[in-house]
Amino acid sequence: MTEPFLPFALPDIGQAEIDAVVQTLQSGWLTTGPGARLFEEEFAAHLGGGLEAVAVNSATAGLHLALEALGIGPGDEVITTTHTFTASAEVARYLGAEPVLVDIDPATLCIDPAAVERAVTARTRAIVPVHYGGLSCDMDAILEIAGRHGLKVVEDAAHALPATWKGRTIGTLASDATVYSFYATKTLATGEGGMVAVRDPAIARRCRVMRLHGIDRDAFDRYTSDKPAWYYEIVAPGYKYNLTDVAAALGRVQLRRLHEMHERRAAIARRYDEAFAGLPVRLPPRPGDGAVPHADSDVHARHLYAIRLEDGAPVGQADFISGMAGAGVGCSVHYVPLHLQPYWRDRYRLTPDMFPHSQRAYERMASLPIYSRMSDADVGRVIAAAGRLLGA
Ligand SMILES: *Cc1c(COP(=O)(O)O)cnc(C)c1O
């Protein structure tokens, strides 16, 4: 009997999420309303640290809004990693700014602070570190570089819920903004959605104004309360980036289940770590493995489990992934680095030798399924299939 295909990713949607969406549909409030507001409050309380949370319809929107609110514009340079999804870099182009791509630290797969330092020019305005796979970047080094050069820091935390850096929750550090994704495959899923966490109320306010067409609600609430409820003022050519209450309903339940879902992913990662220890693969870096600068007790969000095949492995990347598919297991690659993507490669004349660590990792990488809906038997199938291909 052949078992059904095990997909690479699946959202963990249970009856509580379904009930919450149905209630929202029955409430008559489909778009942004009381549900989105509650989701923001609960998300901010979850992070702690007196932050504000601004709900948006994607992390891409959130990154765009954060950079816009921080004043990034034409000609400015924004340093980010080549080893990421294109959204981390494209938002700078939305604003007429230039992303400057740098290599990763092969020990963490996150942006290399030394490479960031080398890329700083007189035009550099911001750094966008990406917490690859759910392991936080070396935020001490990044914030130190930013402080010394007067740069803004916007964390791409699309993988990093929940994660910590030296015991502190990602989102509550001294960055200017931290942006989360609630895309269908992420660790908290609303289909499409995102959140911007910010400390400066003026930045939060600009994000809220630009999130919805440049409508300045505070301006007329605070100063023109003699105006009727139907009156509104447009103060900028804003965007349409608001999160619906339907998505927020999913998000609020998922946030309550975040710990439980994370525990499951962490348990799967531990099983993989044990099972693959003797195979010709490099395991994903994790706090406590002696190779990363993190505190041993730091939380890894475990969004991705990306192995790197060693040179002596019996199969290469393409054969490994197709072999896994043949065994009924979906795998993926995170990422085809930006320096290989036609747009980025051609615009900035990028070549693989400029990013040796990302290039080397990319050529050997495979992401295995890791999500809370996987059963113990599913995990066993992945281990068995990988073991067969890697000569266990
Ligand atoms: C998913 C992802 C994004 C974009 O998130 P959306 O919510 O789909 O816009 C940005 N950066 C990284 C690293 C991601 O993985």
Side-chain angles (χ1 to χ4, degrees):
M1 198 190 88
T2 55
E3 289 171 284
F5 192 82
L6 182 71
F8 171 68
L10 268 184
D12 189 348
I13 300 299
Q15 195 58 45
E17 281 88 345
I18 293 167
D19 291 345
V21 167
V22 170
Q23 262 181 28
T24 305
L25 296 177
Q26 289 166 339
S27 78
W29 206 305
L30 298 185
T31 185
T32 308
R37 186 76 226 177
L38 285 167
F39 186 31
E40 290 179 335
E41 285 168 12
E42 289 162 7
F43 196 89
H46 170 85
L47 292 180
L51 291 147
E52 267 194 75
V54 180
V56 287
N57 60 9
S58 72
T60 308
L63 290 164
H64 183 196
L65 287 178
L67 291 177
E68 196 276 343
L70 291 165
I72 306 304
D76 292 342
E77 291 178 356
V78 177
I79 299 173
T80 191
T81 165
T82 187
H83 211 91
T84 187
F85 185 57
T86 194
S88 313
E90 74 190 10
V91 291
R93 295 295 305 127
Y94 293 0
L95 295 162
E98 309 292 346
V100 175
L101 304 177
V102 304
D103 207 356
I104 51 172
D105 175 348
T108 61
L109 299 167
C110 290
I111 195 166
D112 177 5
V116 172
E117 179 83 60
R118 286 194 296 275
V120 173
T121 73
R123 289 181 301 280
T124 308
R125 295 287 309 283
I127 307 170
V128 177
V130 179
H131 305 299
Y132 178 87
L135 179 73
S136 57
C137 297
D138 182 341
M139 289 308 296
D140 288 353
I142 287 162
L143 289 167
E144 190 275 324
I145 294 166
R148 194 151 33 77
H149 295 282
L151 309 176
K152 306 293 185 191
V153 176
V154 175
E155 293 172 60
D156 180 339
H159 302 177
L161 187 69
T164 62
W165 165 250
K166 297 205 173 157
R168 285 172 304 155
T169 303
I170 290 300
T172 67
L173 310 183
S175 305
D176 296 278
T178 304
V179 181
Y180 299 88
S181 173
F182 308 140
Y183 181 66
T185 60
K186 300 288 161 69
T187 59
L188 185 161
T190 66
E192 303 287 354
M195 195 73 81
V196 186
V198 272
R199 197 175 301 282
D200 181 345
I203 299 300
R205 182 160 168 220
R206 178 69 180 181
C207 288
R208 287 184 200 287
V209 167
M210 296 306 281
R211 170 179 66 177
L212 197 65
H213 301 298
I215 298 174
D216 193 348
R217 293 196 183 277
D218 284 358
F220 67 78
D221 286 351
R222 221 184 284 156
Y223 307 114
T224 57
S225 50
D226 54 320
K227 292 280 197 282
W230 48 262
Y231 183 79
Y232 60 89
E233 281 180 351
I234 304 298
V235 299
Y239 311 106
K240 186 70 199 293
Y241 282 167
N242 53 306
L243 186 76
T244 68
D245 267 23
V246 178
L250 281 171
R252 293 179 64 204
V253 176
Q254 291 262 291
L255 186 62
R256 288 199 290 277
R257 296 187 49 226
L258 189 68
H259 181 69
E260 158 214 331
M261 292 191 294
H262 175 255
E263 292 274 283
R264 179 64 190 150
R265 288 195 310 277
I268 294 169
R270 281 193 296 273
R271 260 191 85 187
Y272 284 164
D273 282 350
E274 277 170 34
F276 301 145
L279 297 184
V281 294
R282 188 160 172 189
L283 300 180
R286 60 170 173 80
D289 70 4
V292 299
H294 301 66
D296 287 358
S297 59
D298 267 334
V299 177
H300 186 315
R302 292 300 192 183
H303 168 56
L304 297 177
Y305 192 94
I307 57 170
R308 282 173 275 179
L309 302 169
E310 277 169 5
D311 288 340
V315 285
Q317 179 191 54
D319 289 340
F320 178 78
I321 293 171
S322 62
M324 292 295 280
V329 176
C331 292
S332 191
V333 173
H334 296 88
Y335 291 89
V336 180
L338 300 187
H339 65 260
L340 297 180
Q341 300 292 357
Y343 174 75
W344 300 114
R345 180 194 65 202
D346 297 347
R347 180 177 176 84
Y348 301 110
R349 301 178 199 283
L350 306 175
T351 52
D353 55 290
M354 297 161 77
F355 309 92
H357 298 304
S358 168
Q359 183 68 27
R360 190 182 155 79
Y362 160 64
E363 287 168 1
R364 289 162 177 76
M365 266 185 161
S367 298
L368 306 182
I370 181 164
Y371 47 96
S372 46
R373 274 183 59 184
M374 288 174 74
S375 67
D376 288 343
D378 292 335
V379 179
R381 278 177 68 193
V382 177
I383 289 170
R388 275 195 302 274
L389 287 163
L390 296 169

